[in-house]
Amino acid sequence: MFDNVWLIPLFPLLGFLINGLCGRVIREERVIGAIGSLAVFGSFVLSAATLGNLLSLPAGERVHNVTLFTWISSGTFRADAAFLIDPLSCVMLMVITGVGFLIHLYSIGYMHGEEGFFRFFAYLNLFTFAMLILVMGNNLLIMFVGWEGVGLCSYLLIGYYYQKKSACDAGKKAFIMNRVGDFGFLLGIFTLFWYLGQSHGIWTIQFTELARHADILPTGGVVTIITLFLFLGATGKSAQIPLLTWLPDAMEGPTPVSALIHAATMVTAGVYMIARMNFLFVRAPETMLTVALVGCATALFAATIGTAQNDIKRVLAYSTVSQLGYMFLAMGIGAFSAGIFHLVTHAFFKACLFLGSGAVIHSMHHALHHALSQADPQDMRNMGGLKSHMPRTYWTFFIATVAIAGIPPFAGFFSKDEILWRAFANPLHGNLNYLLWGCGALAALLTAFYMFRLLFMTFHGDCRITPEAKAHLRESPAIIVFPLIVLAFLSAIGGFIGMPRLFGVANLFEEFLEPVFSRSAEYIKVGHALELHNPLLEWEMMGASVGVAVIGIAIAFSMYVQSKTLPERFVAAFPLLYRVVFNKWYLDEIYDLLIVNPCKATARFLWKGFDVVVVDGVVNGAATLLMGASRMLKNTQTGYVHNYALSMAIGVVVIVACYIFR
């Protein structure tokens, strides 16, 4: 039934090889785009078939390991090249291939005319292949191969415009910060393998085996150390505090790259990893609290920055960081299904928002180019009034904005509300629940504010470019708009698969994932006293979450539609606060001061102080000494016989003298 799942990652790999090796020969954009897109579409069809096969089985039989071959075998240790097919991996497969296909399709129109068109699609296919390996692997080593693969591809895609220094710097920044997290991830894998092997004789890194032996793991102690190491890897890949600054700079890549990285693939890898290792994390209460607090702090921190940015893509970048914070908050309170549910709905509306912003930038760039204007096509202060020029883009963007703001019945409402409710009512963190919920609710208010600020500044009001440029504004072609329509539709209805039981219906999404998280749910029930569910309180909390979203929208409407002088008056009243938030709390500058510049100074000292003076000094000094000695000795080689006879006579005299006077 699942023997052909290896074809799912194979198709994007073939697309990468064909476009990467033959793209310069093919040249035709439609052919290159079709190869790249159909490769991912083929994976989507197979993923859908795999999901259908899984759904046809009883809930208790929905876990299958598909082994291709033995990869590593040493003594009692064995690691197979194998895939794990279960509800969690199937959910991720559908998101990666479904949303990924729409992004590939969109890219055909968006990247039209680019010099490296074939290279871009080769990178996209390779990225998709790596992400599929990450989520399909049945052990930690296979996951790590995909983990490193998406890290490499992010470097290639973020630095796609390699002629630009800013793009190259952003690619290197992403690569280096991910290596910091990956070091922690590796330490976690090694420590887990060593502990189970040395203490219990279980030499395995296979997920199903690890979950089966989870009951022998202690609470806290070494498990806390292991999970903290793993969480460090997750913070790097999913841009959480303190490793979050690379993600906003990733905007240097083309807009489809932002949609792929931020919505459906790389940044969700950390969330997926924690969900996959849920049986381990629930046995480390200190780590769970750390995950919850970091996620909560990141959600609020990034949301504050998003309120003051003017670059349309940068606002969405900080929005991604903030929404990832919600997912980690869910992981930290043991609401694993809710976190994955928000991952899915976020993929829908965030991909729609990024691709919509790309359509806006595409149109703005075209208009400004024809008007010979040097204005920034990504700056929202140069936009306004685009609703009448780009109506289809506007309505899709509007639906996705309402969804991320958490307004019912759109997708973001169901997933975000579930996380906030579980943060308030979870049994793990005592009175800290109120802090977690309060920070999450405040982040939700700010999210609604800055997203509708973006909508109003971009699509409403008067157009702020020159009349000549305004005349060239146009709706994007169908190949760009079609993915927006599909994603907007999913943003509108996607939440119904996870409706809470409070509505008198089954939570289909949670029930589907239940076999993956059943061990953790049972562990939490046994170890913590659960309060009786209070439907009235849940209704009240749901109303509160909608209320804060409405307040955020109302504030944005009053500041950017009703009274457009309010933002200027606010900045004048709180100049320091605005400056700090606009400059991202000076986090990059703090890192430069505490980490980057000291590293540069140390490297410069090792170069000029140690390498040049000491190392080169020793090597060059030895050479100089030998050259001086050779100059002295060469004077003895005159070529005259009487000089050599004199030298021999002196030598004889010295030897005889030593013999006589010894």
Side-chain angles (χ1 to χ4, degrees):
M1 181 179 289
F2 300 105
D3 291 341
N4 294 325
V5 295
W6 57 274
L7 291 171
I8 296 175
L10 179 65
F11 285 158
L13 180 61
L14 291 176
F16 161 71
L17 293 174
I18 294 172
N19 279 332
L21 297 176
C22 306
R24 289 186 183 275
V25 178
I26 298 174
R27 292 187 179 181
E28 179 60 44
E29 288 186 359
R30 287 176 295 181
V31 176
I32 293 171
I35 292 171
S37 300
L38 289 175
V40 181
F41 183 71
S43 296
F44 172 71
V45 172
L46 287 174
S47 298
T50 302
L51 175 62
N53 290 334
L54 201 69
L55 288 171
S56 67
L57 299 173
E61 300 178 11
R62 291 175 179 172
V63 178
H64 290 269
N65 287 287
V66 181
T67 302
L68 303 182
F69 55 87
T70 299
W71 180 27
I72 300 173
S73 181
S74 177
T76 58
F77 173 69
R78 172 176 170 172
D80 294 326
F83 297 136
L84 174 60
I85 303 301
D86 70 349
L88 179 58
S89 61
C90 279
V91 168
M92 296 300 296
L93 287 178
M94 293 300 294
V95 171
I96 294 165
T97 58
V99 178
F101 166 67
L102 294 173
I103 293 171
H104 278 71
L105 193 65
Y106 173 97
S107 300
I108 297 175
Y110 188 87
M111 298 299 291
H112 171 66
E114 288 284 349
E115 184 178 355
F117 190 87
F118 77 94
R119 177 167 55 89
F120 180 80
F121 273 88
Y123 290 166
L124 281 188
N125 279 169
L126 183 61
F127 193 107
T128 305
F129 164 75
M131 191 66 192
L132 290 172
I133 292 296
L134 190 157
V135 301
M136 292 179 69
N138 86 329
N139 62 70
L140 282 164
L141 284 185
I142 297 293
M143 173 187 278
F144 189 73
V145 170
W147 190 277
E148 291 301 292
V150 294
L152 169 64
C153 293
S154 68
Y155 167 76
L156 296 173
L157 287 167
I158 294 169
Y160 174 77
Y161 296 116
Y162 58 86
Q163 303 93 339
K164 291 173 58 180
K165 184 180 184 303
S166 57
C168 293
D169 290 344
K172 288 184 286 187
K173 186 175 183 179
F175 190 81
I176 292 170
M177 295 195 78
N178 272 270
R179 296 295 72 72
V180 175
D182 294 352
F183 179 67
F185 189 26
L186 275 177
L187 289 178
I189 295 174
F190 294 156
T191 308
L192 175 62
F193 176 71
W194 167 82
Y195 173 74
L196 285 176
Q198 288 291 331
S199 302
H200 303 284
I202 301 170
W203 300 97
T204 184
I205 51 172
Q206 186 176 325
F207 295 126
T208 51
E209 288 297 308
L210 291 172
R212 189 164 64 88
H213 294 99
D215 292 338
I216 68 174
L217 295 170
T219 298
V222 68
V223 177
T224 299
I225 296 173
I226 293 169
T227 50
L228 284 175
F229 278 142
L230 295 177
F231 178 55
L232 178 59
T235 60
K237 197 64 69 182
S238 297
Q240 297 295 286
I241 293 173
L243 301 177
L244 61 85
T245 57
W246 70 267
L247 193 58
D249 289 351
M251 297 300 97
E252 291 291 340
T255 301
V257 172
S258 303
L260 190 64
I261 291 177
H262 289 213
T265 55
M266 177 176 169
V267 296
T268 61
V271 179
Y272 167 78
M273 184 267 288
I274 294 179
R276 176 59 71 194
M277 303 295 289
N278 64 89
F279 52 85
L280 198 64
F281 276 81
V282 293
R283 285 166 171 77
E286 295 85 359
T287 302
M288 291 288 282
L289 179 59
T290 301
V291 173
L293 290 175
V294 168
C296 188
T298 304
L300 183 56
F301 179 77
T304 61
I305 299 175
T307 61
Q309 303 304 304
N310 295 311
D311 185 305
I312 187 172
K313 287 175 64 177
R314 196 165 289 273
V315 174
L316 295 177
Y318 282 105
S319 170
T320 297
V321 176
S322 182
Q323 298 304 306
L324 287 167
Y326 277 107
M327 299 175 206
F328 278 94
L329 172 60
M331 298 293 124
I333 59 178
F336 299 107
S337 294
I340 297 299
F341 184 33
H342 195 56
L343 184 155
V344 173
T345 61
H346 176 262
F348 297 154
F349 56 69
K350 185 51 62 67
C352 185
L353 290 168
F354 265 115
L355 297 185
S357 72
V360 169
I361 295 168
H362 191 267
S363 181
M364 286 288 295
H365 184 272
H366 171 80
L368 294 172
H369 174 74
H370 279 276
L372 303 178
S373 173
Q374 299 298 317
D376 185 355
Q378 296 184 193
D379 194 326
M380 296 185 296
R381 292 170 296 185
N382 296 327
M383 301 176 187
L386 297 185
K387 176 182 176 181
S388 59
H389 299 278
M390 309 177 68
R392 289 177 294 181
T393 300
Y394 168 76
W395 285 111
T396 58
F397 204 96
F398 175 78
I399 291 171
T401 301
V402 174
I404 193 176
I407 301 299
F410 295 87
F413 160 73
F414 292 104
S415 58
K416 187 183 295 185
D417 180 76
E418 179 74 9
I419 293 173
L420 290 175
W421 162 245
R422 295 292 293 273
F424 186 86
N426 87 88
L428 298 180
H429 305 309
N431 291 331
L432 280 175
N433 289 355
Y434 303 117
L435 174 65
L436 297 176
W437 180 86
C439 290
L442 180 56
L445 186 151
L446 294 176
T447 298
F449 168 75
Y450 67 67
M451 285 307 305
F452 272 86
R453 169 181 178 265
L454 184 156
L455 183 79
F456 295 144
M457 289 183 68
T458 303
F459 292 99
H460 291 261
D462 299 325
C463 189
R464 292 180 286 277
I465 56 177
T466 63
E468 184 180 0
K470 182 179 177 181
H472 291 280
L473 288 171
R474 62 184 183 186
E475 182 67 272
S476 298
I479 199 167
I480 289 180
V481 174
F482 174 74
L484 297 179
I485 295 173
V486 175
L487 289 168
F489 176 74
L490 293 173
S491 300
I493 70 164
F496 291 109
I497 62 173
M499 291 182 65
R501 294 183 177 88
L502 191 66
F503 287 86
V505 296
N507 189 324
L508 300 178
F509 192 82
E510 184 176 334
E511 290 182 358
F512 179 62
L513 289 178
E514 191 272 337
V516 181
F517 304 125
S518 58
R519 293 178 184 271
S520 297
E522 186 63 28
Y523 181 85
I524 293 174
K525 288 179 182 178
V526 171
H528 301 83
L530 298 178
E531 296 182 2
L532 294 176
H533 180 245
N534 187 337
L536 178 59
L537 179 61
E538 186 173 353
W539 278 112
E540 291 173 350
M541 300 306 296
M542 185 181 298
S545 67
V546 175
V548 296
V550 171
I551 291 171
I553 296 171
I555 294 173
F557 181 79
S558 64
M559 294 181 69
Y560 294 95
V561 176
Q562 281 189 326
S563 179
K564 298 181 181 179
T565 61
L566 274 179
E568 296 178 0
R569 289 157 56 189
F570 179 86
V571 172
F574 304 98
L576 179 61
L577 175 62
Y578 173 78
R579 187 161 59 250
V580 170
V581 174
F582 178 76
N583 288 288
K584 301 160 286 186
W585 297 92
Y586 294 101
L587 191 58
D588 280 309
E589 289 77 6
I590 293 172
Y591 282 178
D592 285 342
L593 177 65
L594 299 180
I595 300 173
V596 177
N597 291 337
C599 287
K600 287 182 177 178
T602 303
R604 192 175 295 110
F605 166 75
L606 292 175
W607 164 37
K608 293 187 176 181
F610 183 76
D611 188 50
V612 174
V613 176
V614 178
V615 177
D616 290 352
V618 171
V619 175
N620 295 336
T624 302
L625 181 63
L626 289 174
M627 288 177 64
S630 67
R631 288 194 190 97
M632 295 174 60
L633 291 174
K634 76 176 182 180
N635 294 327
T636 64
Q637 304 298 316
T638 63
Y640 295 110
V641 176
H642 59 270
N643 286 348
Y644 299 148
L646 177 62
S647 300
M648 292 173 65
I650 294 172
V652 171
V653 171
V654 171
I655 293 172
V656 171
C658 290
Y659 179 75
I660 294 173
F661 297 107
R662 64 179 177 174

